[in-house]
Amino acid sequence: MSENRNKKSLNFIEEIIETDRAAGKHHGRVHTRFPPEPNGYLHVGHAKSICLNFGLAQKYGGKCNLRFDDTNPVKEEQEYVDSIIEDIKWLGWDWEDRLLFASDYFERMYELGVQLVRAGKAYVCDLSAEETGLYRGTLTKPGEGSPFRSRSVDENLDLFERMRKGEFPDGSRTLRAKIDVASPNMNLRDPVMYRILHAPHHRTGDTWCIYPMYDWAHGLEDSIEGITHSICTLEFEDHRPLYDWFLDALDVFHPQQIEFARLELAYVVLSKRRLLELVEEKHVSGWDDPRMPTISGMRRRGYTPESIRDFCERIGVAKFNTRVDMALLEFCVRAHLNKTSPRVMGVLDPLRLVIDNYPEEKEEQLDAVNNPEDESAGTRKVPFSRVLYIEKNDFLEDPPRKFHRLTTGREVRLRYAYFITCTKVIKDENGNVVELRCTYDPNTRGGDAPDGRKVKGTIHWVSAAHAVDAEVRLYDRLFTIENPLGDKDGADYRTFLNPNSLEVLRSCKVEPSLTGAEPGTRVQFERHGYFCVDINDSAPGALVFNRTVALRDSWAKIEKKRKR
RNA sequence: UGCCCGGUGGUGUAAUGGUAACACACCAGGUUUUGGUCCUGGCGUUCCAGGUUCGAGUCCUGGCCGGGUAACCA
């Protein structure tokens, strides 16, 4: 088979990179960066960008910097810096010694600002923010030049220096690039480079009272770090001419800005501002609420870094906005967890079951396979006795067709244990089933009948005397519609919060092997799904499990169809 | 309303002028001590109209539709 046939197709960014390398641009070097603003927690949309940038560097033997774009002191906090570092590390990426901050370049940026003023390409403007907007014109109306546009170089130099020294109040002056006030591209209508902000910065303290704007700062940051390919999202497309203009005007190292479509996910919102609102308004318990699409939320929910990276690879990279199906994310996490999660038995909604012909005092240790996908995971012993718990919905007195579970008079298998037959149903005064009486076949130990007879159903169980109590939290999608932000009638996205996104089960019974389970431990509760010991709320003696994702459930599908 | 970008199954992507393909989802079947996993099969796609070409999803023109854009935010 030829090399070519096996070659995976390239996305458009890889094509650009390979073309550049073939042409010997930057001597074939690839250097990217992930540049978060530390004003919120990272979410799965950021994961896409992180995997893209770090992944590209890895693929082409290059480097990727982690750089905090901390140019706006009033919005940014150390807490966010810490969480971002933790999240990217957890995702499995390494920036080596290149933990960088835009704020470390403030002095150099200032020098370059002076250079631009000297070149007659920037000026100090005394217009207020409101006036600046007025002069800028509109989408259809060209702007007009600021009355301060033709100040002399000397005056500009003097004023800019005094801006830095703190002689002027907030908002009284700006440094602006002198480009084209009538440009059809609004970004080129003499954009602001520096604003006066007497605010302490989380890293530079009160060293500065002027702070650079994004358009001015970002290209410089990339240039200073020798970034070859500066990858950002689509909304910066219109900013690219400005990115290029600054770098050309300064005649410094010139990275290439490339824009791609940000990730949208069905049934959640991926916007730092909205996520912050959900946290502040207590619709969720915090940034790491397992329902949140944040990295920390997904980590707590039980997602693995591998599955998130796999997802980011599968969704691809394009130049048009798309909304990815949650089913793909769930597929990725199931695929990884299926290979790696030990199987255990846990009863979420217990129903008492007594085996009448099993001796009162008897107790057995039965062998159970830890992971059928991984022989090296070995086996464990599970205690069995006369009184068990099974799942309430594994018994139906009057079952529909195709129901293979327990019903009166039917024989089923208890996983890894025995065949049992239900002989009697005990109900309370309201007619609710409260206990099942059964008989077992002692010859079926382990779950096989020596006479070769088969049973249709296998159900899980926990020995009542040995069971460990646990709380289990089931999660569902946070919103009831695919695009909570895009309602046709303009309804607020909060309208679509799913009231049933969290269900807490407090009387669950799990097998004793889970007794000392460490926070963060991932398991599969057989026939239910993948669960993770909660890293905040679980304690020895008071286990709390989060459901990461349910197993595919073809019985539920049959049921659903039947009910229609 | 100006400017910029983009339209391929239900969803996400591939095909780089030469048989429209892959994954998810969905449907049907097989295996199974998890109604899981795994295996087999099926479903279904180039926004529209012209043009160039032996040949167009791909190139050109026009239209339609969608997104972005008027912070001293990033």
Side-chain angles (χ1 to χ4, degrees), chain A residues 152-391:
Chain A
S152 72
V153 168
D154 285 343
E155 190 184 1
N156 281 324
L157 247 20
D158 173 61
L159 254 15
F160 186 38
E161 191 181 341
R162 289 165 60 195
M163 278 170 64
R164 175 186 181 164
K165 281 183 179 159
E167 291 187 21
F168 312 120
D170 285 2
S172 59
R173 289 177 216 267
T174 56
L175 184 73
R176 294 229 257 161
K178 193 190 281 191
I179 307 179
D180 177 5
V181 295
S183 171
N185 181 343
M186 300 286 293
N187 296 118
L188 262 22
R189 322 245 263 225
D190 286 15
V192 172
M193 296 163 59
Y194 278 99
R195 77 280 213 183
I196 301 173
L197 225 48
H198 291 267
H201 184 279
H202 68 105
R203 294 192 78 248
T204 61
D206 53 10
T207 308
W208 294 90
C209 64
I210 57 171
Y211 290 93
M213 299 288 292
Y214 171 86
D215 286 306
W216 167 244
H218 205 88
L220 298 185
E221 296 160 21
D222 289 338
S223 178
I224 289 166
E225 295 175 13
I227 300 302
T228 57
H229 303 268
S230 175
I231 299 165
C232 62
T233 44
L234 248 30
E235 68 270 27
F236 292 104
E237 223 155 11
D238 288 342
H239 294 241
R240 190 177 352 114
L242 181 53
Y243 183 98
D244 292 335
W245 188 91
F246 279 130
L247 264 15
D248 288 340
L250 259 10
D251 194 27
V252 291
F253 179 79
H254 195 146
Q256 179 182 2
Q257 175 179 307
I258 301 167
E259 310 86 13
F260 75 99
R262 64 152 32 100
L263 170 68
E264 315 255 21
L265 240 196
Y267 297 103
V268 293
V269 295
L270 293 184
S271 140
K272 274 200 238 177
R273 206 186 96 210
R274 306 309 156 90
L275 294 176
L276 178 63
E277 284 169 0
L278 292 178
V279 172
E280 286 182 338
E281 295 167 15
K282 311 258 188 233
H283 295 114
V284 295
S285 65
W287 285 100
D288 68 345
D289 187 300
R291 292 167 294 179
M292 291 280 271
T294 51
I295 304 300
S296 52
M298 295 170 79
R299 175 168 58 232
R300 190 171 164 197
R301 171 103 166 230
Y303 276 82
T304 60
E306 290 89 340
S307 62
I308 296 175
R309 280 190 260 126
D310 182 31
F311 173 72
C312 290
E313 205 165 302
R314 285 169 182 270
I315 56 179
V317 185
K319 290 186 74 167
F320 45 91
N321 284 107
T322 52
R323 185 175 313 281
V324 177
D325 221 316
M326 194 62 98
L328 184 61
L329 221 203
E330 295 186 342
F331 168 82
C332 293
V333 71
R334 281 194 195 105
H336 186 228
L337 258 16
N338 176 48
K339 298 286 182 211
T340 56
S341 289
R343 273 58 169 173
V344 293
M345 292 194 282
V347 176
L348 270 33
D349 189 10
L351 172 63
R352 196 176 141 94
L353 183 153
V354 179
I355 303 171
D356 286 320
N357 61 339
Y358 196 89
E360 296 262 3
E361 303 306 320
K362 190 172 175 183
E363 178 180 319
E364 291 179 86
Q365 297 292 328
L366 301 172
D367 290 308
V369 174
N370 285 332
N371 187 346
E373 303 291 317
D374 177 12
E375 208 178 316
S376 72
T379 60
R380 68 186 184 289
K381 299 286 187 187
V382 185
F384 183 85
S385 63
R386 186 167 190 263
V387 181
L388 311 172
Y389 291 115
I390 66 163
E391 212 66 62

Side-chain angles (χ1 to χ4, degrees), chain A residues 461-490:
Chain A
W461 52 273
V462 176
S463 166
H466 304 86
V468 176
D469 291 321
E471 173 178 323
V472 170
R473 299 173 181 170
L474 306 180
Y475 302 103
D476 197 359
R477 50 180 62 135
L478 237 195
F479 291 92
T480 55
I481 62 171
E482 273 197 30
N483 183 9
L485 258 19
D487 181 62
K488 274 197 219 61
D489 304 321

Side-chain angles (χ1 to χ4, degrees), chain A residues 405-457:
Chain A
R405 284 110 97 140
L406 198 57
T407 184
T408 320
R410 179 187 292 171
E411 185 172 53
V412 299
R413 170 166 41 231
L414 291 175
R415 179 89 159 145
Y416 298 127
Y418 294 96
F419 286 9
I420 56 164
T421 305
C422 180
T423 52
K424 191 179 171 195
V425 183
I426 298 173
K427 296 179 185 175
D428 64 12
E429 59 275 15
N430 300 320
N432 299 313
V433 178
V434 292
E435 185 178 302
L436 264 22
R437 311 297 291 214
C438 299
T439 58
Y440 85 119
D441 177 353
N443 294 320
T444 57
R445 191 178 198 271
D448 275 311
D451 62 6
R453 76 182 190 275
K454 301 285 180 198
V455 288
K456 272 290 192 74

